[in-house]
């Protein structure tokens, strides 16, 4: 990636887009996404990357960053991709890379281009019908720009449940050690808590690990209210990266996951690739019957490639 081309320019905002391998589902639940965020933030610190925005979608990632040189940016992507892939394969019983290569990137020259791109990244979940307003999607981290617990009701630690206190203590220890939360550990901790405590835990860990430069984002728009207005009433644009979509709505992936877990086999979505091939194909056929007009998306959920489709 040569410095000076459209993919990178020193000290200018660079939009990066990374698809999962073969466009299959990458993030199945909050444990996957929370682990990924901690890995990205730790890697950004190691490589001296100014991480401006991140959006974790079911089958791809967007982030905007500022770097001193192309090698640092490439090293950052390579670092977090490798670390997450190893953990992901271990958790799901898979092999090989989980991201397509190379990743897409495009430099944004000037504040206007940067604003347009930030809007595009924040609005990705709206365009894919995961939410009606960008600030209501946790995993674009927009709401954290002004609130440390936007998706939960905080409680004083002395009144918190024992499970939440244990989980928070564990996360704090890992953070001080410079370590990340693995998918398996995230899953174990989240499963030990009530729904309300899970939301508190996620909010806490996001803020604990976050290196997102919310100040830079707000400065581009003047303040947070201007940012919200711009994101809600403008789609933004991205002409330099060829983003690939399957189907009209990514909400289908959550619906498939819920349908599968309700069967009880597997009871945990992380065991999807550990059940017998026969059982997995049986689940695939049931999902195709339930969603006959979205078979390509169903196939992406099961990491299958349809011949001729």
């Amino acid at each position: 990636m040569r410095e000076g081309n459209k993919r990178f320019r020193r000290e200018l905002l660079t939009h990066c887009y990374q698809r999962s391998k073969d466009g299959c589902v990458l993030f199945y639940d909050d444990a996957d996404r929370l682990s990924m965020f901690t890995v990205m933030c730790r890697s950004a610190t190691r490589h001296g990357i100014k991480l401006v925005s991140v959006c974790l979608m079911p089958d791809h990632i967007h982030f905007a960053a500022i770097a001193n040189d192309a090698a640092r940016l490439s090293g950052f992507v390579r670092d977090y991709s490798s670390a997450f892939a190893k953990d992901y394969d271990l958790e799901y019983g898979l092999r090989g890379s989980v991201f397509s290569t190379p990743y897409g990137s495009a430099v944004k020259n000037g504040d206007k281009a940067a604003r347009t791109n930030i809007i595009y990244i924040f609005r990705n979940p709206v365009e894919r019908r995961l939410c009606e307003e960008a600030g209501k999607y946790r995993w674009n981290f927009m709401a954290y720009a002004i609130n440390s617990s936007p998706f939960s009701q905080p409680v004083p630690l002395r009144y918190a449940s024992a499970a939440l206190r244990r989980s928070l203590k564990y996360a704090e220890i890992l953070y001080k050690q410079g370590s990340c939360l693995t998918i398996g550990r995230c899953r174990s901790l989240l499963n030990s808590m009530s729904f309300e405590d899970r939301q508190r835990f996620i909010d806490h860990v996001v803020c604990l690990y976050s290196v997102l430069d919310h100040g830079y984002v707000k400065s581009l728009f003047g303040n947070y209210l201007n940012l919200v207005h711009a994101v809600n009433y403008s789609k933004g644009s991205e002409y330099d990266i060829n983003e690939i979509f399957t189907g009209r709505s990514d909400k289908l992936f959550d619906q498939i996951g819920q349908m599968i877990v309700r069967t009880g086999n597997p009871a945990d979505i992380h065991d999807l690739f550990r059940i017998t091939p026969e059982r997995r194909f049986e689940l695939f056929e049931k999902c195709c019957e339930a969603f006959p007009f979205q078979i390509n998306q169903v196939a992406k959920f099961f990491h299958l490639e349809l011949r001729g489709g």
Side-chain angles (χ1 to χ4, degrees), residues 224-244:
Y224 184 75
L225 289 179
N226 288 344
L227 167 65
V228 171
H229 183 82
V231 172
N232 286 340
Y233 296 99
S234 175
K235 290 188 176 182
S237 62
E238 177 50 82
Y239 301 108
D240 299 319
I241 292 177
N242 182 28
E243 186 168 359
I244 301 171

Side-chain angles (χ1 to χ4, degrees), residues 2 33 84 111 262:
R2 299 189 308 275
R33 290 180 281 262
F84 185 76
D111 288 351
R262 280 198 299 269

Side-chain angles (χ1 to χ4, degrees), residues 266-307:
D268 190 306
I269 201 64
H270 293 84
D271 294 325
L272 179 63
F273 301 103
R274 288 191 169 90
I275 59 177
T276 64
E278 293 77 15
R279 172 57 180 164
R280 192 159 64 250
F281 188 74
E282 177 186 331
L283 289 172
F284 169 68
E285 288 187 316
K286 287 184 177 180
C287 290
C288 288
E289 292 173 2
F291 308 103
F293 300 108
Q294 294 91 18
I295 291 178
N296 284 332
Q297 277 185 281
V298 175
K300 296 298 183 185
F301 189 94
F302 285 89
H303 289 209
L304 298 175
E305 184 176 353
L306 298 180
R307 292 184 180 274

Side-chain angles (χ1 to χ4, degrees), residues 154-270:
V155 297
L157 190 59
R158 64 181 179 276
Y159 296 130
S161 68
L164 178 57
R165 289 199 303 271
R166 286 195 301 268
S167 298
L168 292 175
K169 183 177 180 180
Y170 181 83
E172 294 279 356
I173 291 172
L174 277 186
Y175 176 76
K176 290 178 181 178
Q177 292 175 343
S179 301
C180 305
L181 277 166
T182 65
I183 298 172
R185 179 52 63 182
C186 280
R187 178 164 60 96
S188 177
L189 294 174
L190 291 173
N191 287 344
S192 73
M193 293 179 278
S194 66
F195 174 83
E196 292 78 11
D197 281 350
R198 288 198 294 271
Q199 308 317 306
R200 295 181 180 112
F201 177 76
I202 294 172
D203 278 348
H204 180 83
V205 172
V206 167
C207 292
L208 179 66
Y209 276 84
S210 180
V211 295
L212 291 172
D213 193 339
H214 295 300
Y216 173 83
V217 173
K218 287 185 284 188
S219 71
L220 286 174
F221 295 87
N223 55 55
Y224 184 75
L225 289 179
N226 288 344
L227 167 65
V228 171
H229 183 82
V231 172
N232 286 340
Y233 296 99
S234 175
K235 290 188 176 182
S237 62
E238 177 50 82
Y239 301 108
D240 299 319
I241 292 177
N242 182 28
E243 186 168 359
I244 301 171
F245 299 111
T246 301
R248 293 185 176 182
S249 172
D250 285 349
K251 189 176 289 186
L252 179 71
F253 295 130
D254 281 339
Q255 295 171 332
I256 295 173
Q258 292 166 13
M259 178 179 171
I260 290 173
V261 170
R262 280 198 299 269
T263 69
N265 182 19
D268 190 306
I269 201 64
H270 293 84

